[in-house]
Amino acid sequence: ARPAAEAPNRPATEEPKSAAPPRAGLARPATPRERATVDDLVRAAEAVRQLKLREPVQVEIEDGEAIAQSLRTQIDDDEIERARIIYGALGLLDTESDIRSMFVAVLGEQVIGYYDPETRRLVVRDTVMVALAGEPSSEQTQEASLVLVHELVHALQDQRLGLGESYEQARTADADNAFRAVVEGDATLAMLAHALGQQGIPLSAAREGIQQMGSYLDLNALVRGEKLDDAPAIVRVTLVAPYLRGLQFIASVEGRGGWPAVNNAHRRPPLSTEQVIHPQKYFDREPPERIDVADHQELLASGFERVEQDTLGELELSVYLGQRNPSGTNDAAAAGWAGDQLVVYRRGEELGVVWWTTWDSEAEAEEAYRAAQTVAPSGTPSLTDRKGRAVLIVLGLPAKLHRSLRSQFTSFARAIEARPAPPTLRPSPVY
């Protein structure tokens, strides 16, 4: 077995060798027989998704260890540090734990195949290829086929809809979760459409049920795994939501204008997870409310510096507000989100948060405020306040600064009330 980095140099017609035990994991090109199997699934993906590949997809077979090694190289150090600072400051991640290893363990457990837009290759877990070689009617073979149809849709997205370029765009955490919901929801719906088609059932027969499942969808119950179950809620939810919430969203889009409407959603993705969770807000083009938290002079004078800022959106706010719930989320309290900006300040080893959020109404702001009070940490300085339809959350900053932080927030909240609500733009067709 060769290291993964050397695997593409092996001729495609060479059968895998097994004389030496794998050290860093087995990675090899697909054999001609395996390539033919994948080509059959390429045709299935093209048919269901109504798109054609422009060029063949490189296929590589990797075992679990090789996939884990690949994942380690793809996890960016800057993103790990950003997660440690933001979610650590919110109390959603243990900053003392090995966050990189936790991510790799969770992903390695779940990933049985993936398409890499950067290298434009389809990586298939070796056990999946073994399953594909079994009886066509067996459950394992059918499941393996569905997985590859899903991943081959990503190849179609890359070659026909600019997936690789889209991944490179800078986004907030909220907008990135929304974008990934389009990518994964599209592939998941296509996978389901393929499975239904094999049984002679049109997608239209299941679409309504998919669209309506959002009101009772339990992300934690639907996707399980030992490492995933042990992971913090902020990891579990943001990993699973693009597939399941994205499925619901894309089903709504496809229901309005078919697969051409889904193509358009790639070109004009939802601006927020609010638009994903509530698709009508996407169709109505209801924009998120823009919020800019100005630097607080007393805070800076105390030696704190701004180190991170982001918009977390309805999905991640649900995780923050749901810390006391068994599910790890509080969807009801997060509904009604209009906008937010979170700023993390640091002084030495201290981390503090100033988080301004706005809501569609005072009633929804009050619900979010009460939920935020219940999850406020004990034993450390914190402040939760509401003015009108705006809610303030302060964590980890000295109590002597709370009065001036509240005063700055009050000025912001009054300005919010004085200006018109965010306009609802003229709806544009999605088909």
Side-chain angles (χ1 to χ4, degrees), residues 172-390:
T172 65
D174 185 38
D176 190 58
N177 284 328
F179 167 72
R180 290 190 297 118
V182 172
V183 174
E184 299 300 347
D186 174 6
T188 304
L189 185 65
M191 178 184 72
L192 288 180
H194 172 65
L196 291 167
Q198 289 182 313
Q199 302 173 52
I201 303 172
L203 177 59
S204 58
R207 189 188 297 119
E208 184 177 353
I210 294 171
Q211 291 174 246
Q212 293 178 351
M213 73 182 183
S215 59
Y216 55 84
L217 192 62
D218 184 350
L219 303 185
N220 297 286
L222 286 172
V223 180
R224 307 302 301 269
E226 181 181 350
K227 301 297 184 183
L228 184 65
D229 289 347
D230 291 340
I234 191 64
V235 174
R236 296 197 313 271
V237 172
T238 55
L239 178 65
V240 174
Y243 295 86
L244 299 179
R245 296 295 186 195
L247 170 62
Q248 177 201 8
F249 171 74
I250 291 296
S252 297
V253 172
E254 194 274 338
R256 284 203 164 202
W259 292 109
V262 178
N263 297 343
N264 191 53
H266 282 266
R267 302 183 185 101
R268 188 179 66 89
L271 301 175
S272 65
T273 52
E274 179 192 43
Q275 292 186 345
V276 172
I277 297 168
H278 314 284
Q280 189 59 47
K281 292 179 180 288
Y282 173 73
F283 301 135
D284 292 343
R285 300 186 66 197
E286 181 179 316
E289 194 161 28
R290 181 179 176 85
I291 299 176
D292 293 305
V293 178
D295 271 327
H296 188 271
Q297 295 308 310
E298 287 190 36
L299 196 58
L300 298 178
S302 299
F304 284 92
E305 62 174 342
R306 181 186 291 228
V307 291
E308 288 287 352
Q309 63 184 44
D310 211 338
T311 296
L312 301 194
E314 181 174 337
L315 178 69
E316 296 193 14
L317 253 165
S318 174
V319 176
Y320 177 77
L321 298 176
Q323 293 177 73
R324 301 286 187 268
N325 295 345
S327 67
T329 59
N330 189 337
D331 295 344
W337 172 95
D340 77 87
Q341 187 178 57
L342 173 146
V343 179
V344 180
Y345 291 91
R346 180 166 56 195
R347 183 175 67 181
E349 295 300 314
E350 297 176 81
L351 289 175
V353 170
V354 177
W355 199 358
W356 291 357
T357 69
T358 59
W359 303 82
D360 290 336
S361 69
E362 289 196 23
E364 285 162 324
E366 177 67 16
E367 185 175 6
Y369 165 70
R370 292 184 180 279
Q373 283 185 311
T374 66
V375 299
S378 58
T380 58
S382 65
L383 167 66
T384 308
D385 196 13
R386 179 181 77 83
K387 299 293 181 184
R389 60 181 186 85

